[in-house]
Amino acid sequence: MELRKNYFADVRKDDLHEIGQPRPRSDSPGHVTGKTAYFADRNFPGMLHLKMVRSPHHHARIRSIDTSEAEKHPGVVKVLTAKDVPHNVYTILILIQVGPEDETVLADGKVRWKGEAVVAVLAETERAAQEAAAKVKVDYEVLPAVFDMEEALKPGAPLVNEYHGQNYYLYDSGECRKVRFGDVEAGFAEADHVLEQSYQSSPIEHAPTETTGCVVVPEGNDRFTCYTNTQAMFFTLDNTSIILQMPGSKLHFVGGTVGGGFGGKVDVIVEPIAILGAKLTGRPVCFIYSREEEMQISSPRAAEKVIIKDGVMKDGRIIARKVTGYTDAGAYSRHSPYGAQKGAGHYPGPYTIPNVWIDTYCVYTNRTPSSAMRGFGVTIGDFALEVQMDKLARLIGMDPLEFRFINAYRDGDMKAHRQPTEGAALIECMQEASRVANWPVAEKYMAMSSYKNGA
Amino acid sequence: MTKVPVQFTLNGSEKAEFIDSGTTLLNALRDKIGDTSPKGGCHQGTCGACSVIIDGELRLSCLTLAETCNGATITTTSGLAEGGVLHPLQRAFLDTFATQCGFCTPGMIMAAKVLLDHTPNPSREDVVEALSGNICRCTGYEPIIQAVLSAARANSQNAA
């Protein structure tokens, strides 16, 4: 690997001992010998299998639940419904005061997405649990559902989540996160060209090779050991403590080995109910998503819609940018209010624009709840922004890379959300990209620097 | 449920168990015998994480009934290292950073071993074809392909 020395030479010591050097991964010897212990590699005598009865409807009221036939099924040890969960309504980010609690561990009176957990069945074998789950009778009254974010925001749309009271997350800034910088309308009036485009994405499933799950063992000292592949150990421990109304000192979480996560294992979704099952039966419990559940039930990346309106001058300067972003949380918040907020902070991208207006909405629909995935809140936004940049360059007949040099943020530039730019290396990254990709740009751009006094 | 006896050789050791009829080889290996190196990623024969070698052939243990393996010779990734010395494929996976989360790794190594047993000097296309039944979500496959090619080169140098 080549470490070029011409960038930022004044602040570089070049005494790097690790960067640029191959070093063995500490976990690889376990991986190649099959000795790495994933949560499902723990097997305990008398372990019960947990299977979930799930909603077949996108939106429905639950009139009644009859578990009597399931309870009689051979091998069934326990059947759990909402009334068994000590604190059934929760939300993950309550730990950092981002409420309200808006999601049920087991559905209580209503389901808001197709696949929502309604009844948990614990049995001696996976097969018995599956068969018994099929015998649970739930009487539903199907309600109108909404799947499109802009439809959900219209007056008269079905109300997805009563804990919010409207189909968007109410920030302290109001119905959306807002950034206001300069005068965007004056910018559009002054611009040589104005281009408004909209960009949309579908939900994306992480599809880890190891599905979500946990194995719980009740210990002799009244504690519970939970082997889990969560990516969010302490979020999970603390939320489990709240849901089960159990001191955290009773919960011993063992994790750190994850068979692929990509953000898909940050929800608190299998551990609380499996620990409750272990508590109420006194037996070890495993709750492991099937591949179908991993694909259909686990949170995907949110669907997003991004509308970008730009005012650009013939010389290449973007002088106004207005962005409206919609993040589809699905039926529950999970991490999406944070994702939508990140979007607001991330626009208008790594460019210095004097007039900016940003609104980002976190919207509730009757779709599968979305959550974290690799750069959620900004990845789709970056796709939209960079496609928009290419379109703008084409509009004014400019090379797309040179167009980005003109607009790139540099140290000292004020960003739209009032943070001065520091340590920007975008100019240098693009210079190196230009060189490596053999995409030449004019010499004046190769002479630029992120230090504004440099060039 | 009816119990059936099964007996086979696993990584050089004789194993005998009574299992429920219909138990997959994957579950028998993991839950009864305690070899957790084959992984259950899909339990429907599409991800390759459960791959093992039965009588020299690559097999998906999640689609193989344990009771059909009577008298078979079975190899799993946990049995590849001899006397604490890594198999050349294991060494190559380490050296080329072909593991990330590691969940697909035992299955990948099984598929690669069957390839090299039959085709000691594979082309890149041979490697891609041989690994095509194994899903990796972390690496993008390239380091794994390089690991297999590098193990093949190491083998042929040792043979020369």
Side-chain angles (χ1 to χ4, degrees):
Chain A
M1 179 178 157
E2 184 195 4
L3 290 172
R4 284 164 64 81
K5 298 188 188 294
N6 51 329
Y7 301 111
F8 304 108
D10 57 325
V11 292
R12 285 179 51 174
K13 294 192 190 126
D14 285 325
D15 56 353
L16 305 174
H17 300 296
E18 298 296 328
I19 292 174
Q21 302 297 322
R23 293 279 185 253
R25 290 176 58 115
S26 61
D27 55 1
S28 278
H31 294 345
V32 301
T33 53
K35 285 181 180 160
T36 301
Y38 299 85
F39 84 91
D41 296 337
R42 325 273 178 162
N43 196 1
F44 297 92
M47 188 157 75
L48 299 175
H49 297 257
L50 191 154
K51 287 286 173 191
M52 207 53 95
V53 178
R54 298 187 177 281
S55 166
H57 303 295
H58 299 286
H59 198 192
R61 213 178 308 286
I62 298 175
R63 289 202 194 94
S64 65
I65 298 174
D66 177 2
T67 61
S68 55
E69 289 303 311
E71 281 165 41
K72 282 184 236 159
H73 190 78
V76 170
V77 175
K78 192 84 188 168
V79 178
L80 303 174
T81 59
K83 66 179 181 342
D84 296 303
V85 185
H87 185 83
N88 193 39
V89 184
Y90 77 108
T91 194
I92 302 166
L93 294 180
I94 201 74
L95 301 176
I96 52 169
Q97 290 81 49
V98 179
E101 292 176 315
D102 72 341
E103 178 163 7
T104 49
V105 176
L106 293 176
D108 190 5
K110 203 180 157 185
V111 287
R112 300 177 179 85
W113 60 283
K114 186 178 173 179
E116 182 159 358
V118 182
V119 175
V121 178
L122 293 125
E124 301 282 354
T125 63
E126 191 180 352
R127 181 171 170 176
Q130 195 89 62
E131 289 169 349
K135 290 185 173 176
V136 171
K137 295 192 194 83
V138 184
D139 184 20
Y140 293 101
E141 175 195 341
V142 176
L143 300 171
V146 61
F147 306 107
D148 178 84
M149 289 187 280
E150 283 161 304
E151 290 297 319
L153 291 176
K154 285 181 183 165
L159 179 61
V160 174
N161 189 318
E162 293 75 6
Y163 297 103
H164 293 282
Q166 68 284 320
N167 288 338
Y168 54 83
Y169 185 80
L170 190 63
Y171 291 98
D172 50 16
S173 54
E175 74 284 5
C176 60
R177 272 290 180 228
K178 300 169 187 175
V179 176
R180 304 288 183 263
F181 186 61
D183 184 340
V184 78
E185 293 306 328
F188 290 137
E190 189 191 331
D192 291 328
H193 297 280
V194 173
L195 179 69
E196 181 176 302
Q197 298 279 290
S198 100
Y199 303 88
Q200 259 179 285
S201 68
S202 293
I204 301 171
E205 167 53 35
H206 318 70
T209 44
E210 177 206 47
T211 61
T212 300
C214 67
V215 170
V216 180
V217 184
E219 306 290 358
N221 57 5
D222 203 25
R223 295 177 83 201
F224 296 87
T225 303
C226 178
Y227 301 92
T228 167
N229 60 6
T230 181
Q231 290 180 264
M233 190 67 107
F234 291 94
F235 263 25
T236 307
L237 192 155
D238 291 348
N239 273 291
T240 302
S241 173
I242 293 170
I243 290 165
L244 300 183
Q245 298 286 288
M246 186 187 279
S249 59
K250 300 283 183 199
L251 300 168
H252 178 204
F253 275 57
V254 179
T257 302
V258 181
F262 320 113
K265 290 170 179 165
V266 302
D267 293 343
V268 180
I269 216 75
V270 289
E271 297 87 353
I273 195 70
I275 294 171
L276 181 64
K279 184 182 179 204
L280 296 178
T281 62
R283 308 250 311 250
V285 170
C286 72
F287 180 16
I288 306 176
Y289 274 8
S290 66
R291 176 54 52 187
E292 182 183 2
E293 284 178 303
E294 193 65 39
M295 301 303 283
Q296 297 292 332
I297 304 302
S298 75
S299 308
R301 181 194 291 284
E304 289 188 45
K305 180 164 185 183
V306 186
I307 299 148
I308 307 174
K309 182 178 179 184
D310 285 326
V312 66
M313 304 303 284
K314 284 180 202 155
D315 63 11
R317 287 175 298 131
I318 304 170
I319 61 163
R321 172 165 283 176
K322 188 171 186 177
V323 180
T324 309
Y326 300 97
T327 296
D328 191 341
Y332 297 109
S333 289
R334 297 195 185 170
H335 290 82
S336 289
Y338 170 61
Q341 171 167 322
K342 267 205 298 184
H346 188 71
Y347 299 118
Y351 304 109
T352 296
I353 301 174
N355 303 295
V356 174
W357 173 297
I358 297 161
D359 288 339
T360 60
Y361 294 81
C362 171
V363 185
Y364 299 101
T365 67
N366 294 106
R367 299 178 78 178
T368 307
S370 62
S371 200
M373 182 178 191
R374 295 188 153 192
F376 71 116
V378 305
T379 315
I380 303 299
D382 274 335
F383 156 76
L385 283 176
E386 296 309 322
V387 174
Q388 178 84 358
M389 291 297 282
D390 285 348
K391 288 182 178 178
L392 290 169
R394 203 173 303 138
L395 183 66
I396 57 170
M398 192 170 271
D399 176 88
L401 190 51
E402 294 187 347
F403 177 62
R404 286 170 170 84
F405 274 98
I406 291 170
N407 291 288
Y409 65 0
R410 297 199 279 166
D411 286 5
D413 286 352
M414 183 57 73
K415 291 190 259 188
H417 48 78
R418 312 301 198 283
Q419 288 287 319
T421 305
E422 293 173 37
L426 180 56
I427 295 287
E428 290 75 11
C429 279
M430 292 196 296
Q431 288 166 343
E432 188 63 6
S434 160
R435 192 181 69 80
V436 175
N438 195 22
W439 184 299
V441 293
E443 192 47 46
K444 63 177 174 178
Y445 300 115
M446 292 307 276
M448 280 173 78
S449 161
S450 285
Y451 302 141
K452 289 178 88 175
N453 54 6
Chain B
M1 194 173 279
T2 319
K3 299 282 181 187
V4 292
V6 292
Q7 192 167 357
F8 48 71
T9 305
L10 175 67
N11 298 325
S13 312
E14 284 296 314
K15 303 288 176 190
E17 290 286 342
F18 285 101
I19 57 163
D20 291 333
S21 181
T23 301
T24 64
L25 178 63
L26 176 65
N27 287 344
L29 288 174
R30 290 176 56 83
D31 302 341
K32 296 290 264 183
I33 293 168
D35 182 352
T36 56
S37 66
K39 304 297 177 194
C42 69
H43 298 276
Q44 56 192 30
T46 56
C47 78
C50 69
S51 299
V52 299
I53 303 171
I54 303 177
D55 294 331
E57 298 295 329
L58 188 66
R59 293 282 181 255
L60 295 166
S61 64
C62 79
L63 294 187
T64 305
L65 294 181
E67 58 211 84
T68 65
C69 297
N70 262 318
T73 297
I74 300 173
T75 303
T76 67
T77 292
S78 67
L80 280 194
E82 283 182 29
V85 179
L86 294 179
H87 184 277
L89 271 167
Q90 293 173 311
R91 172 51 51 197
F93 269 64
L94 282 184
D95 292 344
T96 60
F97 294 86
T99 76
Q100 281 189 36
C101 84
F103 200 78
C104 75
T105 306
M108 287 284 181
I109 289 178
M110 289 289 96
K113 182 171 189 306
V114 172
L115 170 71
L116 297 191
D117 286 350
H118 291 106
T119 313
N121 295 301
S123 66
R124 182 191 162 85
E125 288 66 35
D126 293 334
V127 176
V128 169
E129 174 65 26
L131 301 180
S132 63
N134 294 66
I135 290 173
C136 172
R137 290 285 289 159
C138 302
T139 63
Y141 299 99
E142 191 57 35
I144 300 175
I145 295 165
Q146 292 308 322
V148 180
L149 289 170
S150 135
R153 278 195 301 273
N155 279 345
S156 61
Q157 276 162 13
N158 288 345

